[in-house]
Amino acid sequence: MTFTIYPAIDMRGGKCVRLLQGDYDKETVYGDSPLKMAQRFVEQGANWIHMVDLDGAKDGKRMNDQFVLEAAKLKVKVQIGGGIRSESDITHYLENGVERVIIGSVAISNPKFAIEMVKKYGRQIAIGLDAKNGFVATHGWLHTSEMRAVDVGKKFADAGAETFIFTDIATDGMLSGPNLAAVNELALETKQEVIASGGVSQLADLSALKEFERNGVCGAIVGKALYEGKFSVIEALREVQN
């Protein structure tokens, strides 16, 4: 297992943006072209790019997919989340060069469907668990469920899910450091690979997450820290490769 850095491109209205703790009213625009941003990350050595269709997450349908398909033509693996509600959404991406599709809200609202997709597409499906105080939030983080992220994770691991993306909403966009305990707990409880998202603010955060690699923490999604110039993709890759 290699610890992977996933530069993040969050898309809203065709632009690259970041939200503060998932709040659609607290948006910062970092670029007019998701594709140009993807090219920049690839030039810096990224092997993967994490893309999120924020409009899709909120509206429950694909909205910014053309940028995702363009990015998938670059020499990079792409994973996409946001607005994926049907098998046709999944095949739309997988048949057009996207490596991995993230099922988030629908894993909570329709677990039977999500488990079917895990069984059918295997490693190409990741389960996205976004947690507020340990409980899963859905629909662009506008709703919080009564289910603990760890419990949902175990259920999907039992059904065959191999990759989880865990976001602690309290840390997202805050540059306050990741929730190491929660990420590690999910990896230990599911015994599967967990990608950490939210809170990475310095290179030391990446090293701290990599400490749990033996437990299954296999990567980190990095957004705001890159856009705010805290460090570059090149520096992040160097940090986790040492």
Side-chain angles (χ1 to χ4, degrees):
M1 180 165 62
T2 314
F3 192 91
T4 305
I5 300 297
Y6 295 82
I9 298 175
D10 290 3
M11 300 166 291
R12 190 176 181 203
K15 297 185 188 314
C16 294
V17 307
R18 297 299 293 170
L19 306 181
L20 204 61
Q21 295 180 314
D23 188 336
Y24 282 75
D25 294 325
K26 294 176 182 169
E27 174 190 272
T28 308
V29 177
Y30 285 103
D32 287 336
S33 167
L35 185 63
K36 277 187 188 153
M37 196 65 77
Q39 283 168 326
R40 189 185 308 170
F41 290 148
V42 173
E43 283 160 14
Q44 290 185 25
N47 298 312
W48 277 88
I49 290 175
H50 171 81
M51 301 184 84
V52 180
D53 182 351
L54 290 172
D55 296 310
K58 199 175 180 184
D59 297 339
K61 57 185 179 188
R62 300 191 309 263
M63 303 284 279
N64 290 282
D65 52 323
Q66 72 272 27
F67 305 114
V68 182
L69 302 188
E70 285 168 7
K73 291 175 187 164
L74 303 172
K75 286 179 181 168
V76 70
K77 293 176 179 175
V78 173
Q79 65 181 19
I80 172 66
I84 293 152
R85 301 286 190 270
S86 66
E87 187 170 3
S88 64
D89 291 331
I90 292 167
T91 55
H92 173 71
Y93 286 123
L94 295 182
E95 289 171 3
N96 287 290
V98 172
E99 190 76 20
R100 187 188 288 149
V101 172
I102 303 158
I103 295 179
S105 298
V106 79
I108 305 303
S109 61
N110 190 351
K112 185 168 173 276
F113 164 77
I115 286 168
E116 250 173 63
M117 295 301 99
V118 164
K119 289 189 188 309
K120 189 165 179 181
Y121 296 101
R123 289 190 73 81
Q124 291 184 293
I125 300 287
I127 301 295
L129 297 175
D130 305 332
K132 243 181 195 166
N133 305 317
F135 292 89
V136 176
T138 62
H139 300 88
W141 300 349
L142 300 174
H143 307 289
T144 306
S145 74
E146 291 175 3
M147 283 177 273
R148 287 178 67 242
V150 166
D151 296 334
V152 176
K154 282 160 80 172
K155 185 167 86 177
F156 279 102
D158 289 344
E162 296 178 49
T163 307
F164 293 91
I165 294 168
F166 178 79
T167 307
D168 178 35
I169 295 169
T171 63
D172 190 67
M174 299 299 287
L175 296 176
S176 57
N179 187 336
L180 297 171
V183 174
N184 188 42
E185 184 191 15
L186 185 65
L188 287 170
E189 291 285 340
T190 60
K191 298 180 175 60
Q192 298 298 334
E193 295 191 347
V194 175
I195 300 164
S197 171
V200 171
S201 62
Q202 54 187 333
L203 293 171
D205 292 333
L206 298 175
S207 294
L209 285 165
K210 194 173 189 284
E211 288 289 312
F212 300 115
E213 191 174 12
R214 65 188 177 280
N215 297 341
V217 178
C218 68
I221 292 166
V222 188
K224 195 170 183 181
L226 295 174
Y227 293 109
E228 295 281 339
K230 303 290 182 188
F231 53 81
S232 66
V233 172
I234 296 167
E235 290 170 317
L237 291 168
R238 199 178 295 142
E239 181 75 15
V240 299
Q241 281 157 10
N242 285 345

